[in-house]
Amino acid sequence: MKCPYCNYEMEDGSKVCAACGQAVDVEETEQMAAVQTQETAAVEGAPAGEPKKGKKWLIPAAAAAVAVVGGAIWMSSQVDPKDAVIGAFKSIVAEDQIQPAEEIFGISEIAKKINTENSEVSLKLAFEDSSAEELAMLVSGGVEITAWNDLENKKFAMDMGLDYADMDLATLKIYLDENQIAAAVPELSDKSYVIQYSEGLDEQIANSPFVGSVLETSGMDISGLDDYMNNYMSMLEGGNTLFDIGALWNRYKEGSQAIENLKAAMTVEKIDKKEFTVDGTAQNCKGYHAVVSKDALMQFVKTTKDFFMNDETLKSDMVNYLDMLFSLYGEEFFASLEVENAEEAQGMIWENLETQLNDAITQLETAAGDVSMNVYVTKAGKMAGFDFDTVLTGGEEPLKIYGDAAFDGGYHMLANMDTTVNCEVGGETFTLIMNTDGVYEAGNTSIFGTDITVTHGEESFVITYDEDYQIADGTYTAVMDWTMNDVSQIKVTMDGFVENIVKGESFDMYFDSLKMETPMISEEVDYIELSGHYKVGPLETAIEAPAGETFDILAGTEEEYSAVAMEMYGNVMGLMMQLYQ
C-alpha cells in the first residue's frame, strides 16, 4: 500500500506514513491502490490484480538518484577552505572596487600623463595672516611655481617666483633642451645665463677664462654634463622610467613562486561561524582557522629576496642610474667606490645588500614562530574580519604580536575598517589602532576619515584626518591633526573648491584657506594662514628660453662676471628700498 501524500510504500494496514507522518485512511487507500493497479494493468496489457514485478523499487531508486544529484550539487557549491581564505584576503585589495579619486578625477591617469605627455603644473600660495610675531613679516608675501614639460620637442622649463606686497621680488627661470641649459632672474639681471652642453663641453671648459679655473680649484667636474643630459633625454624619448615599482611588482607576481608556495603551505580548517556587521546588516560569517608555519614563512622571505636580487631589469636600471651619475660626476665617482664602471659598482652594491639581507633573515629565522589566524568570510566570499597572533623569540624577552581587523563594507573594503595590533614584551604593551570611515555617493558626496592611535602606558600619539568633498558644487574641507598625550602639536585645516575637472586630464584646485596651528613656535598656539591655487593639465604654453642678452657661463671673463655682480647688487638694493617704502 502506498501513502497518498508522498507515495511511500507503506506496510499493509498502517495508519500513519513512516515517511511523511501523515494519517492515512486504510480502507480508502486500499481502494485507490486497487483502481491504480487496474488502470496500470489495462495500459500495459497485464491482468488486473497482478502488479508488474519490480515496480515497488522504482520510487526508492528515484529518491536515491535525487539524493545523489542533490549531494553532488551541494558538494560542488562548497568552496575549498584554503581558497575561501585566500579569496577573502584578495577581496581587500580587489581592483574592481570604487576609488573616489579615480572616479572623480582619474588621478592615476593624470599622474601618468605628467611623465609621459606634454604637461603643465602650477602651484601658487599667498600668506594671508599669522598670529606669530616671528611669521608676521611673511604676510602679504607669496610663492609661485610652474613647470612645463614638452616631451615632443625635448624641452622643459620651470619658474619659481617670490612676491611681496603686490611686487614681484624675483623669479628664477630655468630652461633646458637637448642643446643647452639656461637660467635667468629678470628682476636682478637683464641677461640669460647659458651653458651649451652639446657643443664640445670638454673644450669649452678647457678654454674657459674664468669658470674653468674656478671649477678646477673647487674640484668640480661638469665635463660629463652632456652625456648625462643625452642619457636623460633618450630615456624620456623612449618613455622609459628607471625603477618602475609597478612593473617590478607585476614581474614578481608573474615570475616568482613565493606567493603560490606560501599559499600551498598554509593549512586551513573550518571553525565556528561568527557574526559581523557588513553594510549595515548583521551576517553570520563562515570561520576558518589558518596557520602559516615558520618554515613556510621563511621560505617565502628567502624566495622573495632571491627574486629581487636576481631581477635583471632591476639590475639594469641600477647600472643605467650609476652610468648617469658617472656622466655627471666623472671618474672620481667610481674611484671613491674602488670600482671601474657601473657594472662593477652595481655588483658591489648587490653583494653588500645581499649580505645585509641574509643577516636579517638569519635573525628573523631565529626569532620567528608560526603565524596563526582566524578568518571570517561573508556569503559573497569577501573578508568580514580576522584575528591573528604570533610570537617572536631570540631577544631577552619573547615578543607577542596579536590583533584583529573588521571590515564593515561600503564602496571599498578599506573605507570602513577597524584594526588593532598589540605588541607585548617584558610586561609592557604597545597598541596600534587604525579606524577608517568613508561614504561615497557618485555625483554627490565623498566623505572619508581615518585615525591612527599608538598607545604605551599613559603615553599616546594620535593622527586624525577627515575630508568632505561635495561633488555637485566642488566644495571641500579637510582637517589633519597630530596630537601627543591629548595635546595638539600640528593642526592643518583646508577648505576651498575644485573646478574645470576633465577626468584623467586636468583640474583646478583652489585653497580659500590653508591654516596651520601649532604650539611649537611659541608658548601659545600660533597659526599661519595661506590661500592658493593648484593646477594640472596638458601643456598650454609654448616653451621658450628665457628672454635677455645671452651670457655664456663658460666663455665669460672675470671682468664680465664682476659687471654681473655689480648689476645684481644694484637691483637687490633697489628692491629693498621699495620694500621699506
Side-chain angles (χ1 to χ4, degrees):
M1 164 177 102
K2 291 187 176 71
C3 172
Y5 300 99
C6 70
N7 223 24
Y8 178 75
E9 192 73 26
M10 298 170 56
E11 295 290 335
D12 291 340
S14 297
K15 295 183 178 181
V16 177
C17 176
C20 68
Q22 293 285 348
V24 177
D25 187 321
V26 177
E27 183 177 349
E28 181 179 336
T29 301
E30 288 179 342
Q31 289 176 356
M32 291 176 61
V35 172
Q36 291 174 354
T37 300
Q38 291 175 355
E39 291 176 348
T40 303
V43 173
E44 298 179 354
E50 295 182 12
K52 192 173 181 180
K53 292 182 179 180
K55 181 87 172 187
K56 64 181 180 180
W57 300 106
L58 290 177
I59 293 175
V66 171
V68 169
V69 172
I73 293 174
W74 179 83
M75 291 179 66
S76 66
S77 66
Q78 300 304 298
V79 179
D80 179 83
K82 186 179 292 188
D83 291 337
V85 170
I86 293 171
F89 277 103
K90 283 184 176 180
S91 74
I92 297 174
V93 293
E95 294 182 357
D96 60 353
Q97 300 181 90
I98 293 175
Q99 300 185 52
E102 295 297 336
E103 293 287 315
I104 301 168
F105 303 104
I107 202 70
S108 62
E109 185 65 21
I110 291 177
K112 178 182 178 182
K113 287 182 176 180
I114 290 175
N115 295 314
T116 60
E117 297 183 11
N118 296 349
S119 60
E120 186 173 321
V121 181
S122 65
L123 173 65
K124 184 175 182 179
L125 294 173
F127 294 89
E128 301 289 351
D129 194 12
S130 177
S131 63
E133 294 183 4
E134 296 86 346
L135 301 176
M137 61 181 296
L138 297 177
V139 176
S140 296
V143 297
E144 183 171 4
I145 302 173
T146 304
W148 300 270
N149 198 9
D150 184 348
L151 294 178
E152 294 179 6
N153 297 300
K154 298 182 181 180
K155 293 181 179 181
F156 172 82
M158 177 181 287
D159 284 4
M160 295 179 284
L162 295 174
D163 62 76
Y164 190 82
D166 297 327
M167 291 189 302
D168 292 330
L169 294 182
T171 300
L172 172 62
K173 295 179 174 290
I174 299 173
Y175 168 89
L176 65 88
D177 58 29
E178 55 188 338
N179 297 308
Q180 65 174 336
I181 296 176
V185 184
E187 294 82 3
L188 302 183
S189 173
D190 61 2
K191 297 177 177 58
S192 175
Y193 300 86
V194 177
I195 294 180
Q196 300 286 347
Y197 67 84
S198 65
E199 299 179 0
L201 193 58
D202 286 343
E203 184 177 353
Q204 290 185 63
I205 294 173
N207 296 329
S208 176
F210 178 64
V211 173
S213 61
V214 173
L215 292 174
E216 183 178 359
T217 302
S218 63
M220 294 178 63
D221 183 2
I222 64 168
S223 60
L225 182 61
D226 55 341
D227 290 335
Y228 176 87
M229 293 305 303
N230 288 333
N231 289 337
Y232 179 72
M233 290 293 181
S234 297
M235 186 176 67
L236 290 180
E237 185 177 15
N240 299 323
T241 302
L242 294 180
F243 308 113
D244 188 328
I245 301 301
L248 177 61
W249 173 245
N250 288 332
R251 292 197 302 274
Y252 172 70
K253 289 191 295 183
E254 296 169 3
S256 171
Q257 292 298 311
I259 296 177
E260 294 303 319
N261 292 341
L262 186 66
K263 293 177 183 177
M266 181 173 60
T267 61
V268 182
E269 60 182 16
K270 292 184 178 180
I271 58 175
D272 292 339
K273 293 182 177 181
K274 186 176 179 180
E275 186 176 281
F276 286 82
T277 299
V278 181
D279 292 323
T281 303
Q283 294 191 27
N284 211 17
C285 300
K286 292 181 179 180
Y288 302 91
H289 180 68
V291 176
V292 179
S293 69
K294 169 185 174 179
D295 291 341
L297 183 63
M298 294 312 305
Q299 187 58 45
F300 168 77
V301 172
K302 292 175 182 177
T303 305
T304 297
K305 184 268 296 182
D306 289 341
F307 174 84
F308 288 117
M309 295 303 298
N310 292 292
D311 183 72
E312 293 300 327
T313 303
L314 187 59
K315 291 181 180 179
S316 177
D317 284 349
M318 178 58 74
V319 170
N320 290 334
Y321 174 70
L322 292 170
D323 263 336
M324 292 177 71
L325 291 181
F326 173 75
S327 299
L328 193 60
Y329 295 108
E331 296 180 358
E332 292 185 1
F333 176 76
F334 286 131
S336 64
L337 299 176
E338 298 182 354
V339 294
E340 295 183 359
N341 53 51
E343 287 79 7
E344 288 186 13
Q346 179 271 322
M348 182 195 70
I349 292 171
W350 252 235
E351 183 179 351
N352 292 337
L353 180 58
E354 185 154 27
T355 298
Q356 295 175 21
L357 290 174
N358 287 337
D359 289 343
I361 290 173
T362 299
Q363 294 179 18
L364 180 60
E365 199 163 19
T366 301
D370 295 348
V371 177
S372 175
M373 65 181 73
N374 296 320
V375 179
Y376 300 92
V377 184
T378 68
K379 293 179 181 179
K382 295 183 178 181
M383 178 68 77
F386 64 87
D387 57 70
F388 65 93
D389 65 82
T390 189
V391 177
L392 300 180
T393 59
E396 295 182 1
E397 298 280 352
L399 172 61
K400 182 179 181 181
I401 304 174
Y402 61 97
D404 57 70
F407 301 84
D408 302 334
Y411 62 87
H412 195 287
M413 291 289 288
L414 300 178
N416 295 277
M417 176 184 68
D418 302 302
T419 307
T420 302
V421 179
N422 299 287
C423 298
E424 288 185 5
V425 60
E428 296 186 86
T429 301
F430 297 83
T431 300
L432 168 67
I433 300 174
M434 179 177 177
N435 302 312
T436 62
D437 185 11
V439 176
Y440 177 70
E441 297 177 14
N444 186 27
T445 300
S446 176
I447 300 174
F448 178 76
T450 183
D451 59 85
I452 302 172
T453 303
V454 179
T455 60
H456 173 223
E458 296 182 355
E459 301 290 321
S460 66
F461 171 91
V462 182
I463 294 178
T464 62
Y465 176 77
D466 295 282
E467 66 178 24
D468 184 334
Y469 178 52
Q470 297 300 310
I471 303 171
D473 62 12
T475 59
Y476 70 88
T477 59
V479 180
M480 189 280 292
D481 196 5
W482 164 36
T483 66
M484 292 185 66
N485 301 326
D486 299 324
V487 178
S488 177
Q489 302 300 307
I490 297 177
K491 182 178 181 180
V492 178
T493 305
M494 181 168 61
D495 62 73
F497 63 95
V498 183
E499 65 178 12
N500 303 325
I501 299 173
V502 179
K503 185 176 177 179
E505 185 170 295
S506 62
F507 64 87
D508 286 81
M509 182 176 186
Y510 292 87
F511 317 117
D512 291 337
S513 174
L514 176 55
K515 188 175 184 179
M516 184 181 74
E517 301 168 85
T518 178
M520 296 182 180
I521 300 175
S522 64
E523 295 181 357
E524 302 296 327
V525 177
D526 291 310
Y527 71 86
I528 183 169
E529 186 172 9
L530 302 89
S531 62
H533 173 215
Y534 174 80
K535 180 179 181 179
V536 59
L539 183 65
E540 299 177 350
T541 306
I543 300 178
E544 302 291 344
E549 178 187 349
T550 299
F551 183 96
D552 191 319
I553 292 176
L554 294 177
T557 64
E558 185 173 358
E559 291 76 15
E560 289 172 328
Y561 271 100
S562 296
V564 166
M566 291 299 298
E567 176 191 19
M568 290 188 175
Y569 177 78
N571 288 328
V572 168
M573 291 297 102
L575 287 173
M576 292 181 66
M577 290 178 64
Q578 292 182 56
L579 288 174
Y580 285 108
Q581 286 180 351

